[in-house]
């Protein structure tokens, strides 16, 4: 039967009372006040702004006092529309410290998209970079960089809000690939719920240094790049300058990073356009990858050429990460790993969700996480019907398809809405991509359905050659040959399209719906 390989660790229940900002800001400031907490790099190593834990704690409490001084009340939402700079975490944790609910949003959004989130969240205040477009209603106060500087320079300081672990702390919006974005509401306890990752994925400890290649408004960066390092009194390093992806080894060397976190595309770019033999990665204990499935050939190439372990994790906005490889979980190529210690997961029969039923090992179904996990969201903001869809009995049922083997290792088969239905078969695009990812002359591959008319849908592979002058006919032939060697006939792409690049989000995820 599908199982959770490790029962919850004794004593790991969220303590009460509990405060997320107390746990991530005040507690480490008390343990290591003079240690670097935040480094924002503006261009190259050394061109940065640095804050100690004591300074971060002071700034967060100043912002909390300032927000309360605007007349905001407990539970009010504060929308953040800001770039990748220090003010972002100060406002994020400042709002939480004040008993408010932070609503981080992407700086990549248009003014219209940001306005829609402002309306949906019902935010009572907006923290806004002046160069980002957004029309704010007159009755909603706007907080700028100048406002924050005045608050920090002033004398008012608030105490960190501590209370019931289940009260709301922040809302993040999903990317909205299927309809308008949904607000995912997380409780203060979500920070405590991240503890299984410390050993189960990172091997993170006090005094470590985390370099994250993402933007602070992304849940991956907010958690892995900020919340977890701070909770462990470790240093968070982020970059707010031009996105030169070959910058990351220089940051690792310059700040003696112990961990580097990114999406697969960043590691692929580094290997294609850089020379690992010229990098100093001696301080790096682990590289971390999440955001989309890690192709096995990319894992092999990275580990062979750099000697640095590359640990994958599977997660989502609603639960953070919950399956991973790590220092204590050997990597099994093709799998993101096993349930982290204390997590309870199952693969459920998709046709019996009204009475959730685990499937036998090896059978693919809907991946689910037990609802007693403190990392599970409170629910979708003002979406009661959609909450009923995912909260089934004792399980939070994801939109991911997966299977478990006898050792508890998970195989990811993609999102339910990513599954390609062609010629009557349901096909996992991730499985096809993994089979084709080491074709000679192919740098990247993405698989999606292709509508050819008359109600006929084919499996199509979009491939990026390693050389812009590659012969397209040769590339297609190699892809089709490899598909014939590794895939059942019904899974093989019937069409191969050679392209210059794949459509991606600002954080590097492939946008399948834009293929075509």
């Amino acid at each position: 039967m599908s199982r959770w390989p490790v029962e919850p660790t004794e004593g790991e229940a969220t303590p009460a009372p509990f405060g997320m900002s107390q746990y991530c800001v005040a507690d480490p400031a008390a343990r290591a006040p003079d240690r670097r907490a935040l480094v924002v790099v503006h261009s190259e190593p050394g061109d940065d702004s640095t804050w100690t834990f004591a300074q971060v704690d002071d700034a967060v409490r100043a912002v909390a006092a300032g927000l309360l001084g605007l007349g905001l009340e407990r539970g009010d939402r504060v929308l953040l529309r800001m770039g990748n700079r220090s003010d972002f975490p100060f406002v994020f944790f400042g709002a939480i410290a004040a008993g408010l609910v932070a609503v981080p949003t992407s700086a990549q959004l248009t003014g219209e998209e940001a306005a829609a989130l402002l309306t949906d969240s019902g935010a009572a205040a907006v923290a806004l970079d002046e160069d980002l477009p957004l029309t704010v209603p007159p009755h909603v106060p706007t907080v700028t960089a100048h406002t924050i500087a005045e608050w920090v320079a002033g004398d008012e300081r608030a105490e960190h809000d501590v209370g019931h672990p289940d009260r709301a702390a922040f809302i993040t919006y999903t990317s909205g690939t299927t309809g308008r974005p949904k607000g995912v509401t997380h409780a203060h306890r979500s920070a405590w719920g991240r503890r299984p990752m410390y050993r189960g994925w990172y091997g993170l400890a006090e005094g470590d240094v985390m370099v994250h290649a993402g933007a602070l408004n992304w849940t991956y960066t907010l958690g892995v790049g900020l919340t977890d390092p701070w909770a462990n009194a470790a240093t968070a390093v982020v970059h707010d300058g031009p996105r030169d992806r070959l910058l990351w080894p220089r940051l690792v060397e310059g700040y003696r990073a112990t961990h580097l976190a990114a999406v697969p595309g960043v590691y692929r770019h580094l290997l294609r356009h850089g020379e690992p033999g010229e990098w100093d990665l001696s301080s790096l204990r682990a590289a971390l990858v999440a955001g989309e499935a890690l192709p096995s050939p990319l894992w092999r190439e990275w580990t062979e050429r750099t000697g640095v372990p590359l640990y994958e994790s599977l997660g989502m906005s609603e639960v953070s990460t919950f399956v991973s490889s790590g220092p204590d979980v050997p990597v099994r190529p093709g799998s993101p790993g096993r349930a982290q210690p204390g997590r309870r997961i199952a693969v459920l029969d998709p046709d019996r969700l009204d009475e959730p039923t685990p499937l036998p090992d090896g059978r693919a179904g809907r991946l689910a996480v037990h609802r007693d996990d403190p990392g599970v969201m409170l629910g979708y903001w003002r979406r009661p019907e959609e909450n009923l869809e995912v909260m089934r009995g004792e399980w939070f049922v994801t939109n991911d398809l997966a299977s478990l083997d006898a050792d508890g290792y998970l195989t990811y088969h993609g999102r339910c809405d990513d599954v390609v239905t062609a010629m009557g078969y349901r096909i996992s695009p991730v499985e096809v991509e993994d089979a084709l990812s080491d074709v000679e002359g192919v740098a990247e591959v993405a698989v999606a359905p292709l509508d050819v008319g008359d109600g006929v849908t084919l499996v199509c592979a979009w491939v990026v050659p390693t050389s812009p002058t590659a012969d397209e006919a040769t590339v297609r032939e190699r892809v089709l040959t490899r598909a014939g060697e590794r895939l059942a006939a019904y899974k093989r792409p019937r069409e191969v399209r050679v392209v210059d690049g794949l459509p991606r989000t600002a954080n590097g995820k492939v946008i399948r719906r834009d293929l075509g």
Side-chain angles (χ1 to χ4, degrees):
M1 297 290 288
S2 295
R3 70 184 73 72
W4 38 92
V6 182
E7 289 295 333
T9 305
E10 290 185 5
E12 286 295 294
T14 313
F18 182 79
M20 181 173 172
S21 65
Q22 177 74 35
Y23 177 65
C24 297
V25 177
D27 289 351
R31 298 202 306 270
D34 299 325
R35 181 176 296 150
R36 289 186 306 182
L38 178 66
V39 179
V40 178
V41 184
H42 307 300
S43 58
E44 294 290 323
D47 177 23
D48 58 42
S49 302
T50 302
W51 288 264
T52 66
F53 277 103
Q55 290 170 329
V56 166
D57 181 53
D58 183 71
V60 165
R61 293 193 300 112
V63 171
L67 291 171
L68 293 173
L70 297 176
L72 303 185
E73 299 180 356
R74 181 183 296 271
D76 281 347
R77 276 76 60 206
V78 178
L79 186 133
L80 286 74
R81 180 155 168 74
M82 312 173 78
N84 218 40
R85 54 191 180 82
S86 60
D87 285 347
F88 192 102
F90 295 164
V91 175
F92 178 78
F93 279 103
I96 294 170
L100 308 171
V101 179
V103 185
T105 66
S106 172
Q108 301 290 325
L109 297 177
T110 66
E112 184 176 340
E113 290 172 320
L117 301 189
L118 175 59
T119 299
D120 187 78
S121 66
V126 175
L128 180 66
D129 278 357
E130 296 175 348
D131 59 342
L132 294 177
L134 178 63
T135 301
V136 181
H139 67 279
V140 177
T142 299
V143 176
T144 66
H146 179 71
T147 311
I148 295 167
E150 286 188 335
W151 287 343
V152 173
D155 297 327
E156 296 296 321
R157 300 292 184 271
E159 296 301 320
H160 292 271
D161 181 72
V162 176
H164 197 287
D166 287 347
R167 68 200 191 285
F170 63 98
I171 298 172
T172 60
Y173 277 86
T174 60
S175 58
T177 56
T178 55
R180 62 190 177 94
K182 293 183 290 190
V184 178
T185 308
H186 276 290
H188 282 251
R189 58 173 161 78
S190 65
W192 185 266
R194 302 182 63 86
R195 290 166 64 88
M197 298 180 216
Y198 300 169
R199 188 67 200 169
W201 184 19
Y202 315 140
L204 187 68
E206 183 169 335
D208 282 345
V209 178
M210 175 77 74
V211 171
H212 202 295
L216 282 168
N217 55 65
W218 190 21
T219 52
Y220 182 13
T221 317
L222 265 177
V224 175
L226 191 69
T227 300
D228 296 340
W230 282 7
N232 284 276
T235 303
V237 179
V238 296
H239 186 257
D240 74 343
R243 287 306 173 111
D244 167 17
R245 287 188 175 177
L246 291 176
L247 168 75
W248 308 116
R250 300 196 296 274
L251 294 187
V252 168
E253 178 181 359
Y255 296 98
R256 306 304 296 162
T258 56
H259 296 76
L260 170 66
V263 295
V266 170
Y267 296 107
R268 183 183 294 110
H269 182 94
L270 289 173
L271 294 173
R272 294 290 176 269
H273 302 284
E275 179 46 61
E278 299 176 357
W279 305 335
D280 180 1
L281 304 180
S282 58
S283 63
L284 204 59
R285 293 205 309 275
L288 309 170
V289 62
E292 60 183 75
L294 174 67
S296 301
L298 177 57
W299 171 79
R300 290 191 182 93
E301 185 178 3
W302 171 268
T303 53
E304 289 172 0
R305 293 182 64 187
T306 68
V308 176
L310 180 58
Y311 299 135
E312 184 180 4
S313 184
L314 174 66
M316 61 195 64
S317 299
E318 292 88 342
V319 201
S320 66
T321 76
F322 51 94
V323 168
S324 60
S325 56
D328 299 330
V329 179
V331 172
R332 184 171 293 181
S335 169
R338 299 186 300 193
Q340 295 161 354
R343 309 285 195 192
R344 293 200 281 173
I345 69 172
V347 172
L348 303 179
D349 186 337
D351 298 322
R352 301 182 62 184
L353 294 182
D354 287 339
E355 298 179 0
T357 305
L359 289 170
D361 291 330
R363 288 274 302 277
R366 294 281 287 274
L367 181 60
V369 181
H370 201 276
R371 290 174 62 183
D372 67 2
D373 190 318
V376 173
M377 68 172 182
L378 290 171
Y380 295 118
W381 175 253
R382 293 176 175 172
R383 300 281 190 98
E385 292 183 359
E386 295 189 41
N387 288 330
L388 292 175
E389 283 295 313
V390 298
M391 301 298 185
R392 301 295 187 107
E394 60 183 355
W395 298 104
F396 163 68
V397 182
T398 77
N399 199 36
D400 291 317
L401 294 175
S403 58
L404 292 171
D405 68 14
D407 297 323
Y409 277 85
L410 182 142
T411 298
Y412 180 64
H413 298 285
R415 306 273 298 169
C416 290
D417 45 15
D418 278 345
V419 170
V420 178
T421 302
M423 311 300 288
Y425 293 98
R426 292 170 60 83
I427 301 155
S428 163
V430 175
E431 180 185 6
V432 180
E433 290 165 358
D434 195 55
L436 303 177
S437 59
D438 62 351
V439 172
E440 180 183 356
V442 171
E444 297 181 274
V445 59
V447 172
L450 178 66
D451 185 353
V452 295
D454 295 328
V456 177
T457 300
L458 302 179
V459 179
C460 182
W462 280 262
V463 298
V464 180
T466 54
S467 170
T469 60
D471 180 70
E472 293 189 7
T474 301
V475 172
R476 290 192 185 95
E477 181 181 356
R478 287 173 176 169
V479 169
L480 292 173
T481 298
R482 182 57 52 82
E485 295 169 348
R486 292 186 172 177
L487 296 167
Y490 71 90
K491 298 179 183 178
R492 299 170 192 164
R494 301 298 181 92
E495 179 90 10
V496 176
R497 296 193 173 183
V498 180
V499 294
D500 294 332
L502 301 177
R504 295 182 180 276
T505 67
N507 291 312
K509 287 187 177 182
V510 173
I511 309 173
R512 297 185 195 278
R513 69 180 184 278
D514 287 351
L515 293 167

